[in-house]
Amino acid sequence: MNRTIFFTILLIMPLLVMGQTTYDQYIKAAKKGDAEAQYQVGRCYERGGKGVEKDLNKAFEWYSKSANQGLAKAQCDLGVFYARGLGVVNDNTKAVYWFRKAAEQGYSTAQFSLGYCYHYGQGVEKDLTQACHWYGKAAEQNNTIAQVNLAVCYVNGLGVSQDFKQAAYWYQKAAELGDRRAQENIADFFLEGKGVDKNITQAAYWYEKAAENGSAYGQVRTGICYERGLGVLKDTEKAIYWYRQAAAKGNKKAKENLAKLTGE
């Protein structure tokens, strides 16, 4: 997984519709020491809009107040701010400190984040066993990024013994929750009989799920399944459709296959 996008992913969370009235209500409670209100004020300043000017320094200040009162989601977001240098100087050691605080309270995003820090030695000594431990904690709470990373650890024997059955288990869990990368990988596992009984029908099913999820790899593989009748009824029109979808994303194999079928 690309490290540069990791902490951006952590910040993609459901947004509250913040109006000035809402902010006024939160700030009153926040000033009285309400941890949840302090967190929400931090969110207002982080996002800005609706009468509240974006101010990451103030967001950091309010997240800190809430985190110091033990609110797990504030601790996690404070960790992200330290990791990304938002409203404060980047400090990976402090990021790990706050991720751990939230992770120990069972907050799944923080558990994944702490696992990631151990995986890549960011703010803490690299320890793949600890990385897998925390990925596992988050994976058990249906954190799909953690499930995929845990599966990768099992595939490659990173921090755990290599175990394709466990890898398949976690890929399928994440795939069922809609994770595109997991759908691609569990399809490959069914195609190859890796960690699961070989099942071309299931492979085709998951390739198409990934395709529908925007995966160029899934789209070209689905095209191949329909072109050859692998796990699905042969259907040249559907093959062409999926090849075109992947070709539009620049997939070289899709362009080659499309050219053979249509001359395009």
Side-chain angles (χ1 to χ4, degrees):
M1 180 179 182
N2 190 321
R3 298 189 202 183
T4 62
I5 65 171
F6 161 64
F7 288 113
T8 300
I9 289 173
L10 290 184
L11 291 174
I12 300 174
M13 302 172 73
L15 303 185
L16 296 174
V17 179
M18 298 291 188
Q20 186 64 44
T21 301
T22 305
Y23 170 79
D24 289 343
Q25 293 171 340
Y26 282 140
I27 195 67
K28 288 178 182 178
K31 288 180 177 179
K32 292 178 180 178
D34 184 280
E36 177 64 29
Q38 290 170 341
Y39 173 75
Q40 294 300 340
V41 170
R43 295 278 285 169
C44 289
Y45 280 120
E46 181 185 349
R47 302 298 177 179
K50 300 293 183 180
V52 181
E53 185 175 349
K54 182 176 180 177
D55 188 326
L56 294 178
N57 291 321
K58 288 184 178 179
F60 173 80
E61 176 187 342
W62 285 106
Y63 283 151
S64 296
K65 289 178 184 293
S66 182
N68 280 311
Q69 292 203 68
L71 191 68
K73 58 187 175 182
Q75 293 170 337
C76 184
D77 281 9
L78 190 60
V80 174
F81 267 49
Y82 274 116
R84 296 187 65 199
L86 301 175
V88 66
V89 176
N90 167 259
D91 189 327
N92 287 333
T93 300
K94 287 184 178 178
V96 167
Y97 173 84
W98 287 110
F99 286 146
R100 189 184 305 280
K101 284 283 190 181
E104 289 173 348
Q105 292 195 65
Y107 196 68
S108 68
T109 304
Q111 291 170 336
F112 165 74
S113 304
L114 185 57
Y116 184 92
C117 290
Y118 273 116
H119 193 156
Y120 293 103
Q122 293 186 184
V124 68
E125 186 175 350
K126 183 174 180 176
D127 186 329
L128 293 176
T129 301
Q130 280 294 302
C132 288
H133 169 76
W134 288 109
Y135 285 155
K137 291 288 189 182
E140 289 167 0
Q141 296 195 67
N142 289 332
N143 183 304
T144 58
I145 308 174
Q147 290 171 338
V148 170
N149 280 25
L150 186 58
V152 170
C153 288
Y154 276 115
V155 168
N156 296 290
L158 302 175
V160 290
S161 298
Q162 187 179 60
D163 188 330
F164 291 124
K165 286 186 178 180
Q166 279 294 307
Y169 173 82
W170 288 112
Y171 275 141
Q172 182 138 12
K173 283 283 190 182
E176 289 169 352
L177 290 169
D179 188 281
R180 184 172 70 184
R181 297 155 304 160
Q183 290 166 345
E184 295 170 349
N185 281 286
I186 194 62
D188 284 343
F189 272 41
F190 275 117
L191 183 67
E192 300 167 17
K194 182 186 290 186
V196 291
D197 292 335
K198 186 171 182 176
N199 189 321
I200 305 301
T201 301
Q202 278 292 298
Y205 171 82
W206 285 112
Y207 282 136
E208 191 156 11
K209 284 294 185 182
E212 292 168 351
N213 221 347
S215 162
Y217 177 75
Q219 289 166 348
V220 72
R221 298 298 295 184
T222 300
I224 291 170
C225 288
Y226 278 115
E227 181 183 358
R228 302 178 184 176
L230 300 174
V232 291
L233 293 175
K234 187 174 181 179
D235 189 324
T236 302
E237 288 186 7
K238 286 185 177 180
I240 291 171
Y241 171 80
W242 286 116
Y243 285 149
R244 282 177 175 158
Q245 294 296 309
K249 293 182 173 69
N251 186 281
K252 184 178 178 181
K253 181 65 174 177
K255 291 178 180 179
E256 292 173 353
N257 290 0
L258 189 59
K260 292 176 183 177
L261 288 177
T262 68
E264 293 180 15

